[in-house]
Amino acid sequence: MRRLSFLGKMKMNRPTILTGDRTTGPLHIGHYAGSLANRLRYQDSHELFLLLADTQALTDNAHAPEKVRRSVIEVALDYLAVGIDPNRTTICLQSHLPPLAELSMLYLNFVTVARLERNPTIKDEIRARGFGRDIPAGFLCYPAAQAADITAFKATIVPVGEDQTALIEQTNEIVRRINATAGKTILPEAQAVIPQFGRLPGVDGKAKMSKSSGNAIALSASPEAISAAVKAMFTDLTHLRIEDPGQVEGNVVFACLDAFDEDPATLEEMKAQYQRGGLGDGRIKRRLDDILQALIGPIRTRRAELAEDHAYVLDVIRSGTEKARSRTEVTKREVVEGLGLFVL
């Protein structure tokens, strides 16, 4: 079994980042472009906590707890396969960190239902899921739960998509209320950091790339699955012949090339040629296929090897969760004492 060493974690005075993913299935290339690539760069310069967000996953998957449970290992495998190093990054399981739930309950006393319902991120997600008024309470209260996640680690940096910035604003509102009630600064405010590449469009061009919509390319996809997905990608319906001018905006292939092509000069030339006419969809799709095969191939191989060492993956999660539990217990106690509540 591989051995873990947390000596690298002892570095002090590094900014703390909290990020993570809902455990609802394996990760895909949209996750890689939007977050995983940046997390790899953060490992040495920041204290990075990666949350396997199984409790959050239940807010709209309570009917499928087995999927949520199974996906904990799937997401952890993806983290390790892309190069997340558990000796430099703490991978932890949300449901096994009691201070997060305890802080969530405390924070719900510092926010109103009306404010939760006004949160634009929550409003958009409720509309997208068609909840109407049948909103799971856990889903509606997610901003308070996320505030607990962020503040429990005293994270000052939270990488999020542009559509998630309202959640960070609400976290900071709760932080200010806690600090004002305590009469001193207990919790730091967090800064939202928006990645260069936001959410990739789905293969079908209809929505964001997502696990639930079935329009994504998994980081564990086979060579055949990658090629089939690229071949099916939405481009430009008006680009019927090679000589026709084509649209780059809204073209899924070019959106993916923007995220993954490491030769920007050649890519810009291809865009210009496509817009003038004289460049076919087949050529740009072949380029993207080659790039994705080169990116995903090594990840898929490492993932398969890690999947054979189940004990190691569990050890990574257990060790990281233990470290995170100690960290979050300290914060919870500071909040409880700061608010003047009874402490045993």
Side-chain angles (χ1 to χ4, degrees):
M1 183 191 299
R2 298 169 177 84
R3 295 181 64 85
L4 298 179
S5 168
F6 287 100
L7 292 177
K9 300 279 185 187
M10 301 307 292
K11 297 177 183 177
M12 303 300 289
N13 301 320
R14 294 184 300 167
T16 299
I17 292 179
L18 177 72
T19 182
D21 296 280
R22 288 157 44 93
T23 58
T24 55
L27 304 183
H28 52 71
I29 61 171
H31 293 110
Y32 190 93
S35 58
L36 292 171
N38 282 332
R39 293 172 189 175
L40 294 174
R41 290 190 282 270
Y42 289 141
Q43 289 191 112
D44 289 321
S45 57
H46 296 73
E47 186 175 18
L48 179 59
F49 290 89
L50 273 183
L51 197 62
L52 295 163
D54 57 336
T55 304
Q56 184 194 343
L58 281 173
T59 60
D60 59 345
N61 282 277
H63 63 286
E66 169 59 24
K67 179 180 78 169
V68 174
R69 185 197 66 80
R70 183 177 62 249
S71 297
V72 168
I73 297 296
E74 295 292 329
V75 175
L77 281 171
D78 285 327
Y79 285 166
L80 297 171
V82 300
I84 295 295
D85 180 357
N87 292 311
R88 294 183 288 163
T89 294
T90 304
I91 300 173
C92 49
L93 185 58
Q94 187 179 36
S95 62
H96 282 55
L97 298 174
L100 304 187
E102 295 166 16
L103 286 171
S104 295
M105 182 60 69
L106 278 173
Y107 292 173
L108 284 171
N109 296 295
F110 291 85
V111 64
T112 66
V113 172
R115 177 65 181 93
L116 292 169
E117 290 179 328
R118 286 199 309 273
N119 187 299
T121 304
I122 296 299
K123 287 172 64 176
D124 290 345
E125 294 287 351
I126 288 171
R127 190 180 306 112
R129 287 166 169 77
F131 285 145
R133 291 303 301 168
D134 293 324
I135 309 165
F139 193 91
L140 180 62
C141 296
Y142 170 61
Q146 188 185 58
D149 295 343
I150 294 168
T151 59
F153 292 94
K154 293 194 174 178
T156 54
I157 299 172
V158 184
V160 292
E162 193 166 1
D163 60 336
Q164 301 285 305
T165 56
L167 291 170
I168 308 304
E169 291 173 8
Q170 191 153 16
T171 291
N172 289 335
E173 287 177 15
I174 292 172
V175 165
R176 288 191 285 270
R177 288 195 174 197
I178 295 291
N179 289 340
T181 302
K184 60 181 178 180
T185 300
I186 302 172
L187 302 171
E189 294 190 26
Q191 176 186 357
V193 175
I194 301 171
Q196 178 182 0
F197 297 104
R199 294 180 173 181
L200 289 180
V203 170
D204 53 11
K206 294 180 180 178
K208 68 182 181 182
M209 191 172 287
S210 73
K211 294 172 279 190
S212 59
S213 299
N215 61 358
I217 300 175
L219 292 173
S220 53
S222 68
E224 296 76 18
I226 295 168
S227 296
V230 172
K231 191 172 294 186
M233 275 187 178
F234 180 86
T235 53
D236 176 10
L237 294 177
T238 67
H239 189 244
L240 303 177
R241 298 171 299 179
I242 292 177
E243 59 267 27
D244 291 337
Q247 291 289 329
V248 170
E249 192 72 27
N251 189 313
V252 177
V253 179
F254 277 115
C256 290
L257 285 171
D258 279 335
F260 299 111
D261 197 323
E262 296 183 353
D263 185 354
T266 298
L267 178 57
E268 288 306 311
E269 290 175 7
M270 292 181 71
K271 287 181 179 179
Q273 186 179 359
Y274 192 81
Q275 290 171 315
R276 288 194 308 268
L279 181 61
D281 288 343
R283 184 176 160 197
I284 62 173
K285 287 185 175 183
R286 284 193 296 274
R287 183 177 182 87
L288 179 60
D289 189 18
D290 289 343
I291 289 170
L292 292 181
Q293 297 287 0
L295 171 70
I296 294 175
I299 295 172
R300 182 176 59 245
T301 299
R302 288 196 296 271
R303 197 182 192 280
E305 293 171 352
L306 288 161
E308 294 296 317
D309 196 347
H310 192 74
Y312 170 70
V313 179
L314 286 177
D315 190 34
V316 167
I317 298 172
R318 287 192 183 111
S319 299
T321 302
E322 182 180 350
K323 178 186 175 184
R325 190 180 300 120
S326 298
R327 173 73 165 257
T328 57
E329 282 284 1
V330 171
T331 303
K332 184 205 74 175
R333 188 175 185 87
E334 289 175 350
V335 171
V336 168
E337 290 178 345
L339 292 175
L341 297 174
F342 196 87
V343 178
L344 293 175

